Amino acid sequence: MRLTASRSGTQDTGKMRRERGERLYPYLLVAPVIAIVGLGVVLGLGYLLILSSQRYSLIRLNDIQFIGLENYARVFEDRDFWRSVTASFIWVIGSVVPQFVLGLGLALILNQNFRGRGIFRVLTIMPWAVSGVVAGLMWLWVFDGTIGVLNDLLMKAGLTERPIPWTLFPETTWFTLFVANAWRGTPFFAIMFLAALQGIDDSLYEAAKIDGASAWQRFLRVTLPLIKQTIIISTMLRVIWTFNYIDLIFTMTEGGPLSATRTLAMYIFDTAYVDSDFGYAAALAVITCLILTVFSVIYWKLGGAEEAQDS
């Protein structure tokens, strides 16, 4: 009896060790990558903080000095900074909202059974695969005030007698940027939402139909709650990416006209690589990081992502 109990205890111990090893194995595989990425983030952020506390200009390399929080204090008196922050919020809202709406609608369509659905899914992801610079050049040609394709079509259709200078005024310039970014960013939401919709059990919709729920009620009571977590995460990621995204703006407008479309990310780029003021650019980058961190925390809490995960 003692020998049997001893063998049973040994087997249980071996089984526990194997189970523990199986649980730890995935973490051991990703540990080197996490360590390298984490080290890069820590070192990069540390260097950024050091650089932001210095007067560091490529034009005056012999005059590099530690100035403490002077670069941060300079922000409050910088009108260009506040204009760029305003432009950033306009850029994010005008870009993410139409991308979200179009992406959700496209996902609902692609989730239906129809002939050629696979081809349409491939076509949907294609704009996302195009680089920002290429997309900017393409849409710059479409909206060109002289030889643009859009103006040519409008004049041939009799909707306008002369070419429209799309990039001459801030309002129309923002419109061109929103259209270009919606074309490129909508596939991200479409694919994310489509993946979430694929995970919803059809029996839930059938039960809702039996209860007499209309299509709109099924969308509000079944679809939206079940994809809530995907909506929160994808929207938060897209806001962060768009806030830091300058490819389209740099290619299409370079921040014009009259700096109307110069976002905070674009202002940091100009400060560092045009004015060669790397110290102040670093301080602006730290402030940008703080803005996005505060937004992420507040949005995560208000959106109820934690409750969505628990459910």
Side-chain angles (χ1 to χ4, degrees):
M1 294 291 292
R2 293 181 180 177
L3 181 60
T4 303
S6 177
R7 288 179 178 177
S8 177
T10 304
Q11 290 176 353
D12 292 341
T13 303
K15 184 178 179 180
M16 292 176 60
R17 289 178 179 176
R18 285 195 302 271
E19 291 178 352
R20 189 182 306 165
E22 290 175 356
R23 288 196 300 269
L24 292 176
Y25 186 65
Y27 297 99
L28 292 176
L29 290 177
V30 300
V33 177
I34 294 176
I36 294 173
V37 173
L39 183 62
V41 171
V42 171
L43 292 178
L45 185 59
Y47 180 71
L48 186 68
L49 292 172
I50 294 173
L51 191 61
S52 67
S53 63
Q54 295 178 333
R55 182 183 290 114
Y56 193 107
S57 174
L58 294 181
I59 301 175
R60 298 183 298 273
L61 288 176
N62 295 328
D63 190 30
I64 298 175
Q65 299 178 11
F66 175 79
I67 57 175
L69 300 178
E70 186 176 318
N71 283 324
Y72 295 96
R74 176 181 165 188
V75 168
F76 295 98
E77 300 176 356
D78 188 357
R79 294 183 178 180
D80 290 333
F81 166 77
W82 296 108
R83 290 172 185 167
S84 65
V85 170
T86 303
S88 292
F89 283 109
I90 295 174
W91 169 238
V92 169
I93 295 172
S95 295
V96 176
V97 171
Q99 289 176 24
F100 173 84
V101 175
L102 293 173
L104 181 58
L106 194 56
L108 292 171
I109 294 174
L110 294 176
N111 194 44
Q112 305 300 316
N113 290 320
F114 58 89
R115 197 170 184 178
R117 182 176 63 172
I119 297 176
F120 281 101
R121 287 181 176 180
V122 173
L123 294 175
T124 298
I125 197 64
M126 287 182 65
W128 182 251
V130 177
S131 70
V133 174
V134 173
L137 291 173
M138 183 185 71
W139 284 100
L140 186 62
W141 179 64
V142 170
F143 286 107
D144 188 271
T146 305
I147 59 172
V149 176
L150 181 58
N151 278 330
D152 184 58
L153 293 175
L154 291 175
M155 286 189 293
K156 287 181 178 179
L159 298 176
T160 181
E161 297 180 356
R162 60 188 66 183
I164 300 174
W166 294 101
T167 57
L168 185 61
F169 303 103
E171 295 79 8
T172 53
T173 302
W174 275 123
F175 173 75
T176 63
L177 291 172
F178 295 154
V179 171
N181 205 18
W183 176 82
R184 188 171 183 272
T186 295
F188 168 76
F189 281 111
I191 298 302
M192 292 288 289
F193 294 154
L194 178 60
L197 291 172
Q198 296 268 303
I200 300 177
D201 193 347
D202 291 337
S203 62
L204 297 175
Y205 292 109
E206 294 175 0
K209 284 183 181 179
I210 295 174
D211 291 338
S214 63
W216 178 247
Q217 289 174 331
R218 293 195 299 270
F219 174 73
L220 291 178
R221 304 289 178 84
V222 179
T223 303
L224 284 183
L226 292 177
I227 66 172
K228 179 181 178 181
Q229 182 182 351
T230 302
I231 291 175
I232 294 172
I233 295 175
S234 59
T235 305
M236 184 173 67
L237 289 175
R238 194 62 187 146
V239 167
I240 294 173
W241 293 342
T242 303
F243 198 93
N244 292 315
Y245 186 50
I246 68 171
D247 294 18
L248 279 175
I249 298 176
F250 183 81
T251 305
M252 295 181 66
T253 69
E254 296 186 4
L258 300 175
S259 300
T261 60
R262 185 167 70 171
T263 61
L264 183 54
M266 190 74 188
Y267 183 44
I268 294 172
F269 179 87
D270 289 342
T271 302
Y273 296 104
V274 177
D275 301 334
S276 297
D277 192 350
F278 280 84
Y280 187 52
L284 293 174
V286 173
I287 292 174
T288 301
C289 183
L290 292 175
I291 291 173
L292 292 176
T293 300
V294 171
F295 159 77
S296 299
V297 172
I298 295 175
Y299 183 75
W300 187 267
K301 294 294 184 181
L302 294 180
E306 295 176 351
E307 290 79 357
Q309 278 185 320
D310 294 338
S311 61

